[in-house]
Amino acid sequence: MALLGLSPYIWVMLVFFVLLLVVLVLGDIGGLDFDHDISADVDTGLSPMSLPIVGVFGTSFGGFGL
């Protein structure tokens, strides 16, 4: 089952790599900001469902599957 002569793993890797490039160009890094005010609200960093994390997972899944 090869679409245009490429395996499904290559397609998964390419699609998620393009997603990572779009996120890089648009500047979305998970909504992190670099304010220096101190508040009681604790931010734990990137969400597990943020676009960069999903993109890295899909790219690595396609690469390791290949």
Side-chain angles (χ1 to χ4, degrees):
M1 184 177 114
L3 183 65
L4 296 176
L6 300 176
S7 75
Y9 291 113
I10 292 177
W11 284 111
V12 168
M13 183 177 65
L14 289 176
V15 167
F16 280 103
F17 184 71
V18 168
L19 174 73
L20 279 175
L21 290 178
V22 167
V23 168
L24 175 69
V25 168
L26 294 180
D28 179 19
I29 58 171
L32 293 177
D33 54 351
F34 298 102
D35 290 338
H36 295 294
D37 27 330
I38 299 172
S39 67
D41 186 26
V42 176
D43 188 18
T44 59
L46 287 175
S47 166
M49 290 305 292
S50 66
L51 281 178
I53 300 296
V54 171
V56 167
F57 173 76
T59 304
S60 61
F61 173 79
F64 285 122
L66 179 65

